[in-house]
Amino acid sequence: MTIALAELRLAQPTTVKEAIATLLSRPQSRLVAGGTDLLVNIRRGISRPDLLIDISRIGELAEINASDGGMTIGAGVTIAAIAANASIGKHYRALAEAAGAIAAPGHRNLGTLGGNLCLDTRCIYYNQSEWWRSANSYCLKNRGDTCHVAPQGKRCHAAFSGDLAPALLVLGAEVDIVGAQGVRRIPLHALYVEDGMAHLTLADGELVAAIHLPANPPMSSYAKVRVRGAVDYPLAGVAVALTRSGASIGSLRIALTGTNSRPFLLSGTDALALRPLDERLLQEIDRLVQKQVQPMRTTLASANYRRIAAAALARRLTASLFAECGA
């Protein structure tokens, strides 16, 4: 099937203010930096913007700054730069590991922090060619009226699959959002809601400008399962950050991606503080994960496999980080 695309134009602002003004003046426009996800969706006819706003030339978005108060990373910093940054690898290891595990080298050289945080949700009924989606009467997320994953429901269950968000969540990151009214800073978790059609809380004309990481972070790590050892999005991804208090857990934070329509912090881990890391505690982590993840039939892998894999990753990362802290 031939896709009739409207003429596509490109704007190249050099300041955030100019980019926001362009966004507000062209409601059907889209921001682009690396374009590793958006351009594929345009080619498939999923996204049909009338203007692409290239923000890769905005210097203030491409900076990494460290201070006694922590670290600020601009939304335009590439994933490859995050993975290669020695300070990030030393102090914020989960973030460096997540960045290094994304897709392939070419994607990491082009893709950006902001792009990965704002990654569109994915589903096997959505990320298909135009003729495939047309033959299946489209879907609730794109021009249809039925979610093929849950036909009796009224909500889209497409899954968020960005790798950087869970690492940043366990590290306590905050995000700067810039719009016509100025800058607002929010906890990263507030950027997301559990809705596959509209999972970001950005208002019209707003963009993610930077993330802020606190100083003296706990030890952290990230791991994921995917079909292949490279390129593929996570079927389930887990980040863990913890401190140790003698033979017990001091503090514990666990965040997940790939299973829900948003990345999220696992609830209930505060109750595990000051308890010894034994099999009983690991089983409780397993139960918390399996209860809170919501994998649906959005990938070729079964929902139950993704649920069990997420729980297993959380257990393994917690145990290995605890042992590493002790060493």
Side-chain angles (χ1 to χ4, degrees):
M1 176 180 291
T2 301
I3 304 172
L5 294 177
E7 183 178 356
L8 194 59
R9 297 182 179 274
L10 182 70
Q12 294 182 304
T14 56
T15 66
V16 171
K17 184 177 180 180
E18 185 182 348
I20 291 169
T22 307
L23 265 178
L24 289 170
S25 67
R26 298 289 288 270
Q28 300 304 313
S29 63
R30 293 290 303 274
L31 296 173
V32 64
T36 55
D37 186 60
L38 175 61
L39 295 183
V40 174
N41 284 348
I42 292 175
R43 179 167 57 84
R44 287 176 165 173
I46 293 172
S47 180
R48 300 186 177 188
D50 62 357
L51 175 72
L52 290 181
I53 305 172
D54 177 12
I55 58 174
S56 63
R57 296 188 178 189
I58 302 179
E60 61 190 289
L61 297 181
E63 298 176 352
I64 300 177
N65 296 303
S67 68
D68 292 342
M71 179 176 285
T72 299
I73 307 176
V77 173
T78 66
I79 294 165
I82 293 172
N85 186 280
S87 183
I88 293 176
K90 179 179 179 180
H91 299 290
Y92 307 100
R93 192 176 78 190
L95 179 59
E97 290 175 343
I102 291 173
H107 301 92
R108 296 193 289 271
N109 287 336
L110 291 173
T112 62
L113 168 64
N116 196 259
L117 291 180
C118 298
L119 195 69
D120 193 11
T121 53
R122 300 182 62 81
C123 178
I124 55 173
Y125 293 98
Y126 173 70
N127 297 99
Q128 299 286 355
S129 65
E130 173 69 16
W131 68 262
W132 193 100
R133 289 179 291 112
S134 174
N136 285 276
S137 301
Y138 298 100
C139 71
L140 188 62
K141 185 172 169 66
N142 185 263
R143 288 187 278 169
D145 56 14
T146 301
C147 174
H148 299 303
V149 171
Q152 304 305 315
K154 299 298 182 181
R155 181 175 79 79
C156 170
H157 294 275
F160 179 82
S161 301
D163 289 279
L164 301 183
L168 291 168
L169 284 170
V170 298
L171 291 167
E174 296 180 326
V175 58
D176 279 352
I177 297 173
V178 184
Q181 306 305 314
V183 182
R184 59 188 178 100
R185 183 173 296 183
I186 60 174
L188 180 60
H189 69 81
L191 180 64
Y192 304 101
V193 292
E194 190 66 38
D195 182 349
M197 289 183 66
H199 67 296
L200 298 174
T201 60
L202 294 174
D204 292 341
E206 287 188 329
L207 59 82
V208 170
I211 62 99
H212 300 275
L213 290 162
N216 304 313
M219 187 171 288
S220 64
S221 190
Y222 174 80
K224 64 179 174 180
V225 292
R226 50 186 168 180
V227 175
R228 298 173 293 182
V231 180
D232 291 341
Y233 290 95
L235 298 171
V238 178
V240 175
L242 63 78
T243 60
R244 182 167 176 163
S245 178
S248 300
I249 291 282
S251 63
L252 175 64
R253 303 185 90 188
I254 298 173
L256 299 104
T257 187
T259 59
N260 294 47
S261 294
R262 63 185 174 105
F264 69 98
L265 278 167
L266 191 70
S267 299
T269 57
D270 289 346
L272 305 179
L274 303 181
R275 288 179 47 184
L277 184 70
D278 52 18
E279 185 59 29
R280 181 180 175 185
L281 186 142
L282 292 175
Q283 288 176 356
E284 289 191 35
I285 291 173
D286 191 293
R287 285 194 292 268
L288 286 173
V289 173
Q290 294 209 42
K291 183 177 181 180
Q292 294 178 44
V293 296
Q294 300 173 3
M296 300 289 283
R297 193 166 48 91
T298 56
T299 72
L300 295 177
S302 73
N304 191 52
Y305 169 78
R306 290 157 65 201
R307 183 186 305 276
I308 294 172
L313 284 176
R315 287 170 53 110
R316 292 173 188 171
L317 283 178
T318 301
S320 63
L321 274 178
F322 186 81
E324 192 173 345
C325 284

